[in-house]
Amino acid sequence: MGRFFRIIAAGAVLALLGGGAPAQELAPDRALGGQARFLAGSVTETGWRKRTELTLSLSQGVPWRAFTLIDPPRLVIDFREVDWTGAEPAAMDRSEAVEDLRMGPFRSGWSRLVAELAGPMILDRAGMAVSEETGEAELALRLATSSAEVMAAHSGLPRDPRWDLPEPKVKATPRRAEGAPLRIVLDPGHGGIDPGAQRDGHNEADLMLTFARDLRDVLRRAGYEVLMTRDADVFVSLEGRVALAHDARADLFISLHADAIEQGVAHGATVYTLADEASDAASAALAERHDRDDILAGLDLSGSDDRVANVLLDLARLDNAPRGKALAGQLVAGIRNAVGQVHKRPQRQAGFSVLKAADIPSVLIEVGFLSTEEDLRHLQDRAWRAAMAAGIRDGILAWALEDEALARLRRH
């Protein structure tokens, strides 16, 4: 019979294997550094006082934590990396209380499962049993129906310095040395637990990672310094993407997407810059969906700037908003020249969270639309991707020349 480890906290369960027993009690070939494999799982109703149970069988015990979040109500479970091969969320979920299950890579070395709940619930019990004979583990959690007020009081992201972002700090970003190459951060959208738009066995996260790698190589050959927010199929939060650009002291931030629309036909590239109000309903819907993907991945992005910070951010945006719009215009021209066509309204504005770096000119490029067969075919075509990358490179070059000429007119 395996041992049962359980740690329960108000609103969150944080359990690290080894807290209840030394790690060496696991079999030598099942050390914590190995990757656990998903074996089986289910979500069922207990039929007793409106309880819902989630069980997962893994090939070995791993560090884990579980907690609930609201807006929308959801259960989040983090694990030391798990191989989810064979997991079928639709087949696992036999509960009316869970509307959707997601699972996949979350950050380097870690995986995440998110259960979107039909209504407010709280964690009633959680624990992991590890067999001393085989090393296999079973994680069992029980959710109880509650009121929205009770769930809110018992929910929240656990405070753990091993997981949380560093504390905010004020620092001045040095100006780029004259003659130094532009430092560009490319942001392939989605990833890991969030695949983005999907069609015919293809997903936005994989297609954009492939294109971002192509674009990175083209820009590096042109003499630019290029970094990427992710170079693997991992989840990176919207805040994390912007923070990476700040930490890298980037000169430009370019987010890459290939969305899908449910109605009508959209075709060709579109370049977005930040605006409080979207330029049209479609742009607003895209921005809401992108940000909702971050929420459903289990992140709590409810923090807001204080009044002083808002004033400083607004001043920074006064300088950089025109630069971002100018970049968008040059990118549209470069893409049109390279591939021959763009969207019928190629330059738009929306409130995408990844564009909110106040001091870095930022754009979001919808490279194409997975909902359009021709665009999906283009994204899989190496020659087309090379032409698109060349168009973006040419747009950046034209913008950089113009921006340098206008630099002396700006506020310093």
Side-chain angles (χ1 to χ4, degrees):
M1 182 67 180
R3 293 197 176 178
F4 188 73
F5 309 122
R6 182 169 63 191
I7 300 174
I8 297 182
V13 177
L14 179 62
L16 295 177
L17 191 64
Q24 59 264 29
E25 290 193 7
L26 297 178
D29 63 338
R30 299 178 186 274
L32 289 179
Q35 186 181 47
R37 289 179 291 103
F38 169 84
L39 301 178
S42 65
V43 183
T44 56
E45 307 288 358
T46 65
W48 178 70
R49 295 178 63 186
K50 298 183 179 179
R51 300 293 201 270
T52 299
E53 292 189 348
L54 184 152
T55 60
L56 291 172
S57 297
L58 303 174
S59 63
Q60 68 182 62
V62 291
W64 63 279
R65 71 175 184 177
F67 53 96
T68 55
L69 294 172
I70 59 174
D71 298 328
R74 57 211 189 274
L75 167 71
V76 182
I77 313 174
D78 292 326
F79 306 85
R80 193 66 181 170
E81 194 164 9
V82 173
D83 179 358
W84 294 104
T85 301
E88 297 183 9
M92 291 168 55
D93 186 8
R94 300 191 294 274
S95 164
E96 294 181 359
V98 175
E99 294 187 335
D100 185 42
L101 275 180
R102 293 184 181 198
M103 55 197 68
F106 172 59
R107 60 173 67 175
S108 180
W110 294 90
S111 300
R112 171 164 282 186
L113 180 148
V114 178
E116 187 175 355
L117 307 176
M121 306 187 81
I122 59 172
L123 274 168
D124 182 52
R125 186 178 67 187
M128 178 177 283
V130 181
S131 168
E132 294 178 348
E133 290 77 25
T134 66
E136 293 182 359
E138 181 175 276
L139 176 65
L141 297 95
R142 189 168 70 187
L143 292 161
T145 301
S146 76
S147 66
E149 293 76 13
V150 170
M151 183 178 185
H154 288 76
S155 295
L157 191 69
R159 292 294 301 171
D160 183 346
R162 291 163 292 187
W163 288 79
D164 297 340
L165 293 173
E167 291 298 321
K169 55 185 177 181
V170 177
K171 60 180 181 181
T173 301
R175 296 178 62 85
R176 181 168 52 92
E178 187 174 353
L182 283 177
R183 182 173 296 169
I184 303 170
V185 169
L186 298 180
D187 173 41
H190 308 281
I193 196 173
D194 173 21
Q198 301 176 69
R199 180 182 178 183
D200 299 340
H202 301 280
N203 67 65
E204 182 179 5
D206 291 343
L207 290 169
M208 288 302 94
L209 180 57
T210 298
F211 178 67
R213 288 168 174 165
D214 293 346
L215 178 57
R216 174 189 61 191
D217 295 343
V218 167
L219 294 178
R220 284 178 175 173
R221 287 195 294 270
Y224 298 116
E225 185 178 350
V226 185
L227 298 88
M228 291 172 51
T229 57
R230 66 180 182 94
D231 196 10
D233 185 25
V234 296
F235 177 82
V236 183
S237 71
L238 300 178
E239 287 184 336
R241 295 169 192 264
V242 177
L244 187 148
H246 275 126
D247 290 344
R249 297 170 181 169
D251 297 299
L252 291 180
F253 179 88
I254 300 176
S255 192
L256 302 167
H257 288 261
D259 218 297
I261 60 171
E262 296 179 359
Q263 298 179 345
V265 176
H267 171 61
T270 309
V271 183
Y272 283 90
T273 51
L274 179 67
D276 292 333
E277 298 293 333
S279 55
D280 55 70
S283 299
L286 284 179
E288 181 179 357
R289 184 152 75 247
H290 285 196
D291 287 2
R292 180 174 170 81
D293 286 340
D294 214 35
I295 291 174
L296 293 183
L299 296 188
D300 189 356
L301 304 180
S302 59
S304 60
D305 302 315
D306 62 29
R307 189 172 301 175
V308 174
N310 270 326
V311 172
L312 295 175
L313 290 169
D314 287 343
L315 288 173
R317 289 191 180 107
L318 284 176
D319 278 343
N320 279 284
R323 300 178 69 204
K325 291 179 182 178
L327 173 61
Q330 295 291 1
L331 286 171
V332 167
I335 292 170
R336 180 184 283 115
N337 289 337
V339 300
Q341 57 186 356
V342 292
H343 191 275
K344 60 184 179 182
R345 291 184 56 202
Q347 193 170 340
R348 301 189 182 193
Q349 294 180 304
F352 292 106
S353 290
V354 289
L355 300 182
K356 293 183 178 179
D359 54 346
I360 304 172
S362 304
V363 295
L364 184 148
I365 304 177
E366 289 283 357
V367 182
F369 291 86
L370 264 62
S371 49
T372 302
E373 184 175 349
E374 183 179 2
D375 282 9
L376 177 58
R377 187 171 64 252
H378 283 162
L379 291 168
Q380 299 171 74
D381 183 344
R382 184 187 297 270
W384 186 90
R385 294 199 308 268
M388 172 64 75
I392 294 174
R393 175 204 61 201
D394 294 345
I396 292 172
L397 176 60
W399 172 84
L401 293 173
E402 178 185 59
D403 190 67
E404 186 66 27
L406 295 174
R408 62 180 178 272
L409 302 178
R410 295 194 197 101
R411 181 187 298 112
H412 293 292

